[in-house]
Amino acid sequence: MRVLLTGGAGYIGSHTAVVLAERGHEVVIVDDYSNAHPEAVRRVAEIVGKAVPMVEADLANQKAAAQAFTDAAAALGGELDAVIHFAGLKAVGESVAQPTRYYRTNINSTLNVLDQMRAHSINRLVFSSSATVYGDPETNPIAETQQVGVGLTNPYGWSKAMNEQIIRDAAVVQKGFRAVLLRYFNPVGAHESGRIGEDPSGIPNNLMPFVAQVAVGKREQLSVFGSSYPTPDGTGVRDYIHVMDLAEGHAAALEAAGEGVAEYNLGSGKGSSVLEVVAAFEQASGRPVPYQIVDARPGDVAECVADPRKANAELNWQTTRSLADACADSWRWQSQNPNGYAKDGEVTA
């Protein structure tokens, strides 16, 4: 298939581009590089052994989105068959501080993508959703049958839940439309080559890249947000999924998509606490990771673990990599690229 990856230069998008290319799909990336680097796309091409065309555009802008779809199709020499929609802002804490920015960017980009899919008669969509749509979950592990959009704790989660509903409504009026909503848990790790990985701009919002930057000496210590949750060691518990497992889940969803809209959790089904992740990373890197306990963050929940059985059965997909594998791959990426994708002379925050 000819596949457009919106936000494809980002962390999950770049790894998915590798998997799709290795499976024989033709890939084109559209990204505005607001939280990504063109070097990631060059390295994807290096890994897969062929050029990966890219178009720079802000998909939250209606005119830019229209031009981007035209340019993307031209880059692949024919109309597109599918879209995997990663583009959007993604930090829970930042969304609490900047709610209107998150709603404007995340919802407008999805509206524009859906309009362009209809204009170009593209009927296959995989959407990058999130486990945050479950809010503070009723039970753990979380199955897709749990309510979505009830009691959500942050604008990021609300924007994802709203986008899921927008996609469901759009599917009703576009004949033959096939959409898969993938609810991620916590992506970690990097490509085993160490050539691509997570490269946050400024201070990392996610645990693993912050731990990696402490281990490599870029940051002094980790702040552990909260130690009195009802969990075994008092720190937050999350389901950490290796980014390559996650990327393979996108390929499986793309290939298996049936008519209508389906939703799947992508996670390992196993929860790990913040302190367990710290210990695993120290083991993988052979470096200490100093930390301090600080107040819990607004919008965080105590525990969030996937029930991935629906994806296992219907997508013929399951995770094959462990937290230890993710830590080892993250350390390889971070130690070989201490400043991420920055080239000589560039300065990172």
Side-chain angles (χ1 to χ4, degrees):
M1 282 184 266
R2 297 187 183 101
V3 187
L4 167 60
L5 304 186
T6 76
Y11 175 42
I12 301 167
S14 59
H15 290 78
T16 302
V18 169
V19 170
L20 292 176
E22 289 177 343
R23 290 197 183 197
H25 298 290
E26 296 180 69
V27 173
V28 58
I29 286 171
V30 174
D31 207 301
D32 67 356
Y33 304 117
S34 60
N35 193 31
H37 201 294
E39 176 66 9
V41 182
R42 192 194 69 77
R43 294 193 188 185
V44 167
E46 172 191 304
I47 291 168
V48 301
K50 59 181 178 182
V52 176
M54 55 182 177
V55 175
E56 185 171 356
D58 176 7
L59 292 172
N61 178 288
Q62 195 171 30
K63 289 184 178 179
Q67 188 62 52
F69 269 71
T70 298
D71 293 346
L76 292 184
E79 278 295 351
L80 302 165
D81 300 305
V83 174
I84 301 183
H85 182 31
F86 297 106
L89 302 172
K90 62 178 185 177
V92 167
E94 186 179 65
S95 77
V96 174
Q98 303 176 31
T100 57
R101 176 176 173 237
Y102 266 68
Y103 287 124
R104 185 179 298 110
T105 299
N106 291 0
I107 293 173
N108 283 355
S109 63
T110 298
L111 291 171
N112 291 336
V113 164
L114 289 169
D115 284 346
Q116 291 307 311
M117 288 183 68
R118 191 172 187 184
H120 289 261
S121 299
I122 304 166
N123 282 333
R124 192 178 294 254
L125 172 69
V126 177
F127 174 62
S128 168
S129 191
S130 167
T132 57
V133 299
Y134 296 115
D136 195 349
E138 303 158 13
T139 60
N140 275 285
I142 303 167
E144 291 86 351
T145 52
Q146 284 202 33
Q147 282 190 306
V148 167
V150 177
L152 302 192
T153 58
N154 56 77
Y156 169 74
W158 277 113
S159 75
K160 290 296 188 181
M162 291 174 183
N163 276 333
E164 286 195 7
Q165 186 60 47
I166 289 167
I167 291 166
R168 290 184 187 282
D169 292 340
V172 172
V173 296
Q174 187 165 334
K175 186 177 179 181
F177 196 75
R178 301 164 179 252
V180 180
L181 314 176
L182 296 181
R183 296 170 182 165
Y184 308 164
F185 281 67
N186 289 67
V188 290
H191 190 268
E192 62 182 7
S193 67
R195 297 296 290 154
I196 58 173
E198 189 168 8
D199 182 25
S201 57
I203 299 173
N205 289 296
N206 297 326
L207 175 62
M208 185 72 82
F210 205 113
V211 169
Q213 289 187 8
V214 172
V216 84
K218 190 173 181 179
R219 302 198 180 274
E220 185 177 346
Q221 64 181 2
L222 169 72
S223 292
V224 176
F225 296 100
S227 61
S228 58
Y229 288 115
T231 61
D233 62 19
T235 64
V237 168
R238 298 291 183 269
D239 185 332
Y240 295 96
I241 174 175
H242 196 294
V243 68
M244 291 304 295
D245 283 328
L246 187 60
E248 289 165 4
H250 286 77
L254 179 73
E255 294 160 2
E259 190 165 336
V261 182
E263 63 288 316
Y264 297 96
N265 290 335
L266 293 187
S268 69
K270 180 182 184 299
S272 301
S273 73
V274 174
L275 296 185
E276 286 174 331
V277 172
V278 169
F281 204 94
E282 288 180 331
Q283 180 68 28
S285 66
R287 300 280 187 91
V289 179
Y291 66 87
Q292 63 172 345
I293 304 292
V294 299
D295 292 341
R297 292 180 297 192
D300 278 352
V301 299
E303 184 175 4
C304 189
V305 179
D307 178 348
R309 288 178 295 177
K310 184 182 179 186
N312 297 162
E314 297 183 12
L315 300 182
N316 192 28
W317 167 90
Q318 61 184 4
T319 60
T320 61
R321 301 164 180 88
S322 67
L323 177 61
D325 295 329
C327 289
D329 291 337
S330 286
W331 177 242
R332 185 178 302 108
W333 153 255
Q334 186 67 66
S335 58
Q336 292 179 8
N337 304 271
N339 292 315
Y341 292 114
K343 297 180 180 178
D344 292 341
E346 287 184 338
V347 177
T348 57

